[in-house]
Amino acid sequence: MAAADPNESLNLRPLGMVEKNPTALKLILGGKLRELRAAAGLDPADVDGRLGFSRSKTSRIELGRHGCKRVDALALLGLYGVDDEERIEEFLRLVDQSRRADWWRSFNDVLSDFFTPLVALESAAERIRTYEPFYVPGLLQTPAYTRAVIQAGPGHLLPHDVMRRVELRQERQRQLDQPDAPYLWAMIDESVLMRTVGGREVMRAQLEHLIELMDRPRVTLQIAPLDVSAAVGVGTGVTYLRFALSDLKDAVYIEHLTDSTFTQKPQIVEQYRNMLDRLGACALTPGQSLGVLQKRLSDC
């Protein structure tokens, strides 16, 4: 059987929004280099030795943890037998794109390490599905509601830090307000609507905002009644990222009390996707959910 042509293996589909996301590009390019290395019958240590890389540099590049320089990309592609000049040049163009600064870097002062993977990749997703048992999902919050949630959290934050966290959440929302942004499917536990977060006026404005968002074609909102969420047993906040490109594995972000888990392990991702499927099937329809929101607003 003839060996696979490494030039064909380098083929990348049109990337769309992903091309604007340096973190996603690093993961895709690293994955392509990993495939080429495996096809060449080499392990990462072999590559490090042959190219004079520092220990584990090849692995870090393949995992998207280390930005790949043009000179490193050329050396790797040459070692793997890629010689199609047009495809090499396209790959190098994407390498340059991947080395741009991510927008969220300017929020490093308030961005926790465990939260960074979600913020870095959510705008590259084709679809975002999220369930929240305690608060309105962050991507649907008003600034005043966000401020109230942050101030109610653990620890004492200075006013400047609170403001920066509110700004970060607003910027995340703006990233998802582009023409080719992901579809957002949000499910909110019914108990969330019973909590008057930030006071009556803040809650009224938040309910009005949710009602307005339901008119957007890229937003689907469902309310999960108490008996439904109890039966399905999600129990914690979950966000699932679905990517259009097979080169990016789907991911889930799972919230805990003081930290979170972000994983792309297929078995775990599938478990949470199935759980969200069951919850969505049992939750109120968008039309019924709109009625619940309107009723809650009239009572608030």
Side-chain angles (χ1 to χ4, degrees):
M1 182 181 293
D5 183 354
N7 294 296
E8 290 296 327
S9 300
L10 199 62
N11 185 48
L12 289 165
R13 297 190 295 170
L15 298 175
M17 276 292 290
V18 172
E19 192 166 328
K20 303 176 184 178
N21 189 302
T23 297
L25 278 179
K26 287 185 181 73
L27 290 170
I28 290 174
L29 297 178
K32 285 296 180 184
L33 291 172
R34 181 172 59 251
E35 292 173 11
L36 288 167
R37 173 185 56 73
L42 299 170
D43 62 36
D46 292 330
V47 176
D48 290 340
R50 293 195 188 191
L51 298 182
F53 286 174
S54 60
R55 183 180 178 183
S56 301
K57 179 175 178 177
T58 298
S59 293
R60 294 196 302 272
I61 289 174
E62 291 179 356
L63 292 171
R65 298 172 183 169
H66 189 292
C68 186
K69 299 178 182 178
R70 287 176 69 95
V71 64
D72 294 336
L74 279 170
L76 289 164
L77 295 177
L79 179 62
Y80 302 150
V82 178
D83 55 14
D84 185 314
E85 293 186 5
E86 184 175 341
R87 294 190 179 183
I88 291 174
E89 190 54 41
E90 173 63 8
F91 192 86
L92 293 178
R93 184 185 71 80
L94 294 174
V95 166
D96 290 340
Q97 291 282 82
S98 74
R99 293 180 63 81
R100 295 174 304 149
D102 291 279
W103 67 265
W104 46 265
R105 295 286 184 187
S106 61
F107 289 94
N108 277 343
D109 56 324
V110 294
L111 188 55
S112 303
D113 289 342
F114 63 77
F115 192 43
T116 298
L118 175 66
V119 174
L121 287 173
E122 63 187 357
S123 64
E126 177 188 46
R127 186 176 298 270
I128 299 174
R129 298 173 64 182
T130 186
Y131 166 71
E132 278 291 344
F134 302 115
Y135 298 107
V136 170
L139 293 173
L140 303 179
Q141 293 177 2
T142 65
Y145 187 97
T146 297
R147 188 175 298 106
V149 170
I150 291 171
Q151 290 174 331
H156 175 72
L157 295 175
L158 296 174
H160 173 75
D161 292 332
V162 173
M163 179 190 71
R164 290 286 290 158
R165 282 169 168 77
V166 173
E167 290 174 350
L168 170 60
R169 195 154 301 179
Q170 289 180 280
E171 187 57 38
R172 288 174 61 210
Q173 294 172 2
R174 280 191 286 270
Q175 293 292 318
L176 298 180
D177 200 25
Q178 305 303 315
D180 50 356
Y183 288 90
L184 176 61
W185 178 11
M187 287 177 283
I188 305 176
D189 195 90
E190 183 182 17
S191 64
V192 170
L193 306 181
M194 302 175 183
R195 302 186 184 99
T196 307
V197 175
R200 182 172 174 273
E201 292 306 315
V202 169
M203 195 64 197
R204 282 187 59 84
Q206 178 62 69
L207 292 168
E208 290 170 348
H209 183 58
L210 290 176
I211 291 171
E212 292 170 2
L213 288 172
M214 294 188 76
D215 285 332
R216 297 191 182 184
R218 289 180 176 268
V219 176
T220 298
L221 177 60
Q222 290 181 264
I223 304 299
L226 299 178
D227 58 341
V228 167
S229 56
V232 175
V234 179
T236 188
V238 178
T239 298
Y240 165 74
L241 302 182
R242 170 71 176 174
F243 298 101
L245 301 175
S246 59
D247 298 300
L248 273 177
K249 294 189 294 184
D250 293 352
V252 289
Y253 171 84
I254 308 153
E255 292 186 351
H256 311 300
L257 179 61
T258 58
D259 61 4
S260 66
T261 299
F262 183 91
T263 181
Q264 291 178 289
K265 294 180 179 179
Q267 184 176 5
I268 297 176
V269 171
E270 184 178 4
Q271 288 176 343
Y272 279 95
R273 182 178 66 244
N274 291 340
M275 191 174 291
L276 289 171
D277 285 344
R278 295 201 309 272
L279 188 62
C282 298
L284 301 179
T285 66
Q288 293 170 330
S289 299
L290 176 61
V292 170
L293 288 171
Q294 292 171 330
K295 176 65 166 58
R296 178 69 180 97
L297 177 61
S298 67
D299 293 341
C300 187

